[in-house]
């Protein structure tokens, strides 16, 4: 029996019983470590002001005869309106249950019959109420577990890809981490040490970021009438920009055999930095081998598969 196996009375005193029923039900499945969807019955008792807005009124168990056998069900008693309560009362009950010719006994019997009809109607709509509750529970579960629920996780992954709008080739958990970090990107903007930590968390390799001067080797001036602005006024030579570029150096502990993987990492670094560096800075990505490299010339092609640092 469920009551003996899980101590239903103590579960009813769980603090989540003060939340909406869908949250309590998900917590109940987690505590019991059991799929309860096939044994759930929802009994909506109607909105009652005496319930003081408490959604869960009671949790009980019930045995029902199912195809020549008995099956135990978990019953959630909720302070909610059933489908029955939402429909016009005239569909199920007469507007007047008495008339002047009825005796007191007949009036009492009419009231009792009205109550019995209400119970029958509630039982009729109970499976529909239960199905509606199951669907709302799934929706709440996706909100509560949007990183662990497969459907919700895929929806969030699709949204993150659309918002980032970049060809980042990283695992889904890493993309989530990047997405949530970028939601507060104003705290990361141009903060190079923090950006280095972020790239390490997302791409799993260390990187060094530094500003490098932007030098124009060609005169960045156009013709002005018959004069070449800068040349005719004596402004010759290289020109230093007021805005520096960014150099990102990927730190490798050992050589990478897959050059395409290195190119992919370089593209990923540029994509992430594009969110966190002002747009008029140019981004240069290099790499540096931090570990010791030993090789025999007979087995290596110098400059082709060896790193010259």
């Amino acid at each position: 029996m469920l009551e003996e196996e899980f101590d239903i009375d103590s579960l009813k005193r769980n603090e989540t019983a003060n939340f909406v029923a869908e949250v309590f039900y998900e917590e109940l499945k987690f505590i019991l470590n059991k799929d309860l969807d096939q044994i759930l019955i929802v009994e909506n008792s109607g909105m009652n002001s005496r319930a003081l807005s408490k959604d869960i009124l009671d949790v009980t168990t019930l045995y029902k005869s199912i195809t020549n056998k008995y099956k135990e069900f978990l019953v959630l008693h909720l302070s909610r309106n059933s489908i029955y309560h939402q429909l016009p009362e005239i569909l199920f009950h007469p507007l007047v249950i008495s008339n002047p010719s009825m005796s007191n006994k007949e009036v009492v019997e009419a009231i009792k019959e009205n109550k019995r009809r209400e119970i029958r109607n509630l039982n009729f709509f109970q499976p529909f109420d239960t199905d509606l509750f199951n669907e709302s529970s799934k929706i709440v579960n996706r909100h509560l577990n949007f990183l662990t629920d497969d459907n919700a996780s895929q929806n969030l992954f699709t949204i993150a890809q659309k918002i980032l709008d970049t060809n980042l080739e990283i695992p889904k958990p890493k993309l989530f981490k990047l997405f949530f970090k970028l939601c507060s990107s104003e705290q990361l903007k141009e903060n190079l040490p923090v950006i280095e930590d972020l790239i390490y968390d997302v791409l799993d390799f260390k990187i060094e970021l530094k500003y490098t001067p932007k030098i124009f080797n060609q005169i960045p001036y156009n013709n002005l009438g018959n004069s070449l602005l800068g040349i005719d006024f004596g402004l010759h030579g290289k020109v230093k920009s007021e805005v520096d570029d960014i150099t990102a150096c990927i730190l490798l502990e050992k050589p990478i055999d897959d050059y395409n993987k290195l190119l992919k990492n370089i593209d990923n670094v540029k994509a992430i930095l594009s969110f966190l560096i002002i747009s008029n800075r140019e981004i240069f990505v290099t790499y540096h081998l931090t570990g010791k490299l030993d090789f025999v010339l007979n087995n290596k092609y110098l400059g082709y598969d060896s790193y010259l640092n």
Side-chain angles (χ1 to χ4, degrees), residues 176-187:
F176 285 149
K177 182 176 291 188
L178 173 64
F179 177 71
F180 292 132
K181 286 287 187 180
L182 292 180
C183 288
S184 56
S185 61
E186 68 279 356
Q187 300 174 9

Side-chain angles (χ1 to χ4, degrees), residues 279-291:
S279 59
N280 55 345
R281 296 190 194 279
E282 193 169 357
I283 300 173
F284 300 95
V285 182
T286 64
Y287 60 92
H288 174 71
L289 186 65
T290 60

Side-chain angles (χ1 to χ4, degrees), residues 17-263:
N18 296 319
F19 299 160
V20 295
E22 289 82 0
V23 174
F24 172 78
Y25 183 58
E26 291 301 322
E27 179 70 9
L28 201 61
K29 290 195 292 186
F30 174 77
I31 293 174
L32 303 183
N33 193 23
K34 189 172 183 178
D35 186 8
L36 304 176
D37 293 346
Q38 300 302 317
I39 61 171
L40 174 68
I41 293 178
V42 171
E43 185 174 299
N44 290 325
S45 303
M47 299 299 293
N48 190 336
S49 59
R50 291 176 297 176
L52 299 178
S53 300
K54 188 175 174 66
D55 210 14
I56 302 288
L57 297 179
D58 198 4
V59 181
T60 60
T61 58
L62 175 69
Y63 276 94
K64 280 192 172 186
S65 177
I66 304 294
T67 60
N68 299 324
K69 67 177 182 179
Y70 281 96
K71 181 178 179 180
E72 188 178 20
F73 289 88
L74 182 73
V75 184
L76 292 183
H77 301 265
L78 307 184
S79 177
R80 295 184 180 182
N81 282 337
S82 164
I83 296 177
Y84 159 76
H85 295 108
Q86 307 293 337
L87 298 175
E89 190 174 1
I90 189 62
L91 295 177
F92 309 107
H93 304 281
L95 292 178
V96 179
I97 60 173
S98 64
N99 58 65
S101 63
M102 295 174 64
S103 65
N104 290 340
K105 183 178 180 179
E106 290 173 331
V107 171
V108 171
E109 182 58 34
I111 294 174
K112 289 181 178 180
E113 175 58 30
N114 207 46
K115 186 63 176 179
R116 287 192 290 268
R117 186 182 293 115
E118 178 184 359
I119 294 174
R120 290 196 298 269
N121 292 332
L122 284 171
N123 290 336
F124 173 81
F125 285 106
Q126 194 174 70
F128 304 101
D129 292 334
T130 301
D131 284 343
L132 287 175
F133 178 84
N134 276 326
E135 291 303 316
S136 64
S137 179
K138 293 176 183 177
I139 294 173
V140 170
N141 178 62
R142 289 199 292 270
H143 284 291
L144 294 176
N145 305 292
F146 63 93
L147 287 180
T148 54
D149 180 78
D150 290 338
N151 292 331
S153 178
Q154 183 57 42
N155 291 339
L156 180 62
F157 181 69
T158 303
I159 292 172
Q161 284 183 313
K162 290 292 185 182
I163 293 176
L164 296 178
D165 190 26
T166 185
N167 294 322
L168 278 169
E169 297 184 29
I170 57 178
K172 186 182 296 186
K174 298 291 187 180
L175 187 134
F176 285 149
K177 182 176 291 188
L178 173 64
F179 177 71
F180 292 132
K181 286 287 187 180
L182 292 180
C183 288
S184 56
S185 61
E186 68 279 356
Q187 300 174 9
L188 305 175
K189 211 73 169 175
E190 298 284 330
N191 191 337
L192 300 190
V194 178
I195 297 174
E196 290 175 356
D197 293 337
L198 170 62
I199 292 177
Y200 179 75
D201 290 339
V202 174
L203 300 181
D204 293 325
F205 55 75
K206 294 182 179 179
I207 194 170
E208 286 184 351
L209 300 175
K210 64 179 181 180
Y211 294 110
T212 54
K214 177 70 173 180
I215 304 296
F216 296 102
N217 292 314
Q218 296 181 355
I219 300 297
Y221 303 113
N222 298 321
N223 291 336
L224 184 64
N226 296 324
S227 298
L228 182 62
L229 189 62
I231 297 294
D232 295 345
F233 289 102
L235 300 179
H236 297 278
K238 297 179 180 180
V239 178
K240 183 179 183 297
S241 172
E242 294 181 353
V243 179
D244 293 335
D245 291 331
I246 287 287
T247 297
C249 182
I250 300 175
L251 303 179
L252 302 174
E253 294 182 358
K254 58 182 180 180
I256 294 181
D257 296 329
D258 187 356
Y259 188 64
N260 289 327
K261 181 179 179 181
L262 179 61
L263 294 178

